Amino acid sequence: MAAPEVEKKMAALTFEAPKTFEQIVAEKKPYYEQRITLFEKFRARELEAMEKAREAAEVINIIMPDGKEIPGVKGLTTPFDIAKGISSSLAKRTVVAKVDEQDWDLTRPLVADCALQLFSFNDAEGREAFWHSSAHLLGQALELEFGVDLTIGPALEEGFYYDCFMGDRTLADADRTKVEKRIEVSIKENQKFERIEVSREEALSMFTENKFKIVVSREEPLSMFTENKFKLELIRGLPDEAIITVYKVGPMVDLCSGPHLPNSGLAKAVAVTAVSRAFWRADVKREPLQRVYAITFPDSKQLKEYQFRMAEAKKRDHRVVGVQQELFFFNPLSPGSCFFLPLGTRIYNSLIGYIREKYWEYEYEEVVTPNIYNFDLWRTSGHADHYKENMFYFEVEKQEFGLKPMNCHCIMFANRMRSYRELPLRLADFGVLHRNEYSGALTGLTRVRRFQQDDAHIFCTPAQ
């Protein structure tokens, strides 16, 4: 074969090496800087409003939970000012507030006479704000380390997570350390959480990225725009009357309703606990996402206590115990459907027996109903319109049928004419249910596709 032909074939086989994360982050840097520039531009009007409030010095009354009234200045005094005025120790432990039962940042000015509540990390409201704020630090770390497109990052009962889009790339457990160290840097920098209100158009502009400059001619460059389509989708989906708020912490700007901590320094200890997969809007047909879980605490002692508790709980994970004690198992030939072994079946039947005793005690009648129904029933119930994607359905003799996702006793009640003397009628059922859960959501016995539950309906008059 001639040398030119070999070179030609070799050239056809060459491909562009994937970009490193450092390269991706470098390309995103103008976008991050643009967000901050716009944020500061929009924040200027809020700072101006505060200066006007200072000059006006209009007095408002803030009512504390004990009934005490404290004076403040409209548009200037913040919940943190009130806490500090009461005691420095109160200000130090307070992380978030409520104003007339509305969630409120500690550094957000009060705008009218109001009732004020202050919360610490020991309160449920305080922990939620603490972990929601920490999710922003996690989002910041994911952007600066991997150049991801952020989606949503909510607080959980314990901890928080952030979903992010990385194209066809994924995160490994080894990446958790990188993220952890980046969050620790943000904590040491004591970054302030700042809030602004923006119009829909302003919000959209903040998450559109002018990323590339392609020269069409020497005289006129043409800008190509890329965007965080996930944030734009969220913004466009907000109702017309929605108040749109954006928060900045360090170099990270994010769409969020808040409230948040005054600064990142309150989170003294952090652990990135897991990495998993997810899908945008929990829809397997949408973009695949990486979900990163983490948790923070006001001190390292609480983090160590949490890690010890999680380690102990892991030893007693029902998925581990079930296999070790030969109670049950799962098999990929029937995903999300439990196989109960003889010992597990004994426990299962004991639970059934206990519930049946409760049926007698509370005057329920046990019934047995079919597993498969014509879809006419699901159209009547609303499942066909709102739940079909989570059902197993199929065609029989040119008619659509589906496995029931929940028990329905209306057919049984309507089987004959009823007398009011029969009411209240309590019907209970251990029927087998099937729900087409996403494979990624299946978790032991807590999230399955085939299950039975103590399911009942009460037919009664309005007066009953």
Side-chain angles (χ1 to χ4, degrees):
M1 185 180 292
E5 291 184 35
V6 172
E7 291 177 2
K8 186 176 180 181
K9 292 200 174 215
M10 290 296 294
L13 292 173
T14 59
F15 61 92
E16 186 178 351
K19 294 176 182 177
T20 64
F21 286 125
E22 290 79 6
Q23 289 173 320
I24 295 172
V25 173
E27 289 181 350
K28 293 266 187 175
K29 190 176 180 181
Y31 167 49
Y32 302 150
E33 292 174 348
Q34 173 186 287
R35 288 185 318 194
I36 293 174
T37 300
L38 290 173
F39 185 94
E40 298 299 341
K41 174 185 174 182
F42 302 145
R43 180 163 169 72
R45 63 189 175 216
E46 302 204 1
L47 296 175
E48 183 181 349
M50 290 177 66
E51 285 304 313
K52 290 181 179 178
R54 190 190 306 275
E55 294 172 5
E58 182 178 342
V59 177
I60 57 173
N61 290 320
I62 297 102
I63 304 172
M64 302 305 292
D66 62 0
K68 181 181 179 181
E69 292 190 15
I70 300 175
V73 177
K74 178 180 178 180
L76 188 64
T77 300
T78 67
F80 182 79
D81 295 331
I82 300 298
K84 191 174 181 180
I86 295 172
S87 74
S88 58
S89 60
L90 175 63
K92 187 175 180 180
R93 66 175 180 267
T94 301
V95 297
V96 76
K98 277 194 174 184
V99 175
D100 293 334
E101 296 300 323
Q102 180 184 349
D103 293 332
W104 208 269
D105 302 304
L106 282 184
T107 55
R108 179 181 171 189
L110 303 169
V111 294
D113 294 341
C114 61
L116 176 65
Q117 296 170 276
L118 302 172
F119 300 97
S120 72
F121 183 80
N122 294 328
D123 302 306
E125 296 87 347
R127 287 191 296 275
E128 182 175 359
F130 196 95
W131 287 327
H132 187 189
S133 301
S134 299
H136 282 241
L137 302 182
L138 172 57
Q140 180 187 140
L142 291 169
E143 283 192 338
L144 297 181
E145 285 292 331
F146 307 106
V148 304
D149 284 337
L150 297 174
T151 61
I152 58 170
L156 302 172
E157 186 176 347
E158 280 193 305
F160 51 93
Y161 70 81
Y162 219 122
D163 283 348
C164 61
F165 179 70
M166 301 179 67
D168 57 357
R169 300 198 181 200
T170 58
L171 293 173
D173 278 343
D175 295 318
R176 288 160 50 183
T177 303
K178 291 182 182 178
V179 176
E180 237 173 65
K181 288 181 178 178
R182 177 66 74 167
I183 295 175
E184 288 171 352
V185 170
S186 300
I187 290 172
K188 289 177 182 177
E189 290 177 351
N190 207 35
Q191 299 170 351
K192 291 182 180 179
F193 280 88
E194 297 176 290
R195 173 187 184 274
I196 59 171
E197 294 183 9
V198 295
S199 68
R200 191 177 302 265
E201 291 72 25
E202 290 170 340
L204 290 170
S205 72
M206 297 182 81
F207 297 98
T208 299
E209 174 189 359
N210 183 354
K211 183 177 177 184
F212 301 107
K213 294 282 188 180
I214 297 183
V215 178
V216 178
S217 67
R218 292 182 180 273
E219 294 76 28
E220 185 178 2
L222 175 68
S223 297
M224 286 186 63
F225 290 89
T226 62
E227 58 194 22
N228 185 330
K229 62 182 178 181
F230 307 102
K231 297 295 182 183
L232 299 185
E233 184 176 324
L234 291 173
I235 295 168
R236 291 176 180 129
L238 293 172
D240 293 340
E241 67 278 8
I243 296 174
I244 302 175
T245 53
V246 175
Y247 281 81
K248 173 183 172 290
V249 58
M252 189 260 209
V253 175
D254 204 3
L255 177 74
C256 187
S257 59
H260 287 298
L261 302 176
N263 60 72
S264 62
L266 294 175
K268 304 295 185 185
V270 59
V272 177
T273 55
V275 176
S276 66
R277 293 192 64 190
F279 291 94
W280 177 233
R281 302 287 196 182
D283 185 349
V284 294
K285 298 176 182 177
R286 296 294 304 270
E287 296 82 353
L289 306 175
Q290 293 291 294
R291 176 169 294 178
V292 184
Y293 292 90
I295 194 164
T296 52
F297 288 97
D299 58 68
S300 57
K301 180 183 176 182
Q302 291 185 64
L303 174 59
K304 289 177 182 177
E305 290 172 348
Y306 167 81
Q307 290 173 326
F308 175 79
R309 183 160 47 87
M310 291 299 103
E312 290 298 304
K314 192 173 182 179
K315 296 176 186 177
R316 291 181 283 275
D317 188 323
H318 78 279
R319 292 167 293 182
V320 176
V321 174
V323 174
Q324 289 176 341
Q325 299 188 11
E326 293 194 355
L327 303 177
F328 61 84
F329 67 92
F330 290 87
N331 189 288
L333 291 176
S334 185
S337 302
C338 183
F339 291 78
F340 282 99
L341 294 165
L343 294 177
T345 302
R346 291 183 194 177
I347 298 174
Y348 181 93
N349 288 335
S350 296
L351 290 171
I352 294 289
Y354 171 76
I355 295 172
R356 282 198 171 115
E357 290 178 6
K358 292 299 178 182
Y359 284 170
W360 280 99
E361 182 179 345
Y362 294 106
E363 299 181 343
Y364 280 84
E365 297 286 348
E366 185 179 348
V367 296
V368 179
T369 52
N371 291 339
I372 301 172
Y373 289 87
N374 189 291
F375 242 80
D376 286 346
L377 173 65
W378 308 124
R379 293 185 184 93
T380 300
S381 68
H383 285 80
D385 292 331
H386 304 291
Y387 199 74
K388 188 174 181 179
E389 68 275 10
N390 297 111
M391 294 177 62
F392 291 99
Y393 52 91
F394 44 86
E395 187 176 292
V396 178
E397 296 180 346
K398 298 184 179 181
Q399 295 186 68
E400 196 170 28
F401 285 77
L403 290 170
K404 63 180 179 182
M406 56 189 67
N407 287 304
C408 178
H409 298 131
C410 294
I411 296 175
M412 190 165 283
F413 180 81
N415 182 52
R416 63 171 175 80
M417 186 70 70
R418 300 282 179 177
S419 167
Y420 71 91
R421 294 186 179 88
E422 296 179 70
L423 304 179
L425 179 62
R426 303 178 178 89
L427 300 179
D429 197 337
F430 289 111
V432 176
L433 307 179
H434 288 84
R435 296 179 185 175
N436 190 12
E437 301 282 0
Y438 297 130
S439 59
L442 299 177
T443 309
L445 293 173
T446 59
R447 196 74 179 267
V448 292
R449 287 178 175 169
R450 187 265 188 201
F451 62 99
Q452 288 168 266
Q453 65 182 16
D454 170 29
D455 204 358
H457 290 89
I458 301 175
F459 298 89
C460 61
T461 66
Q464 292 173 326

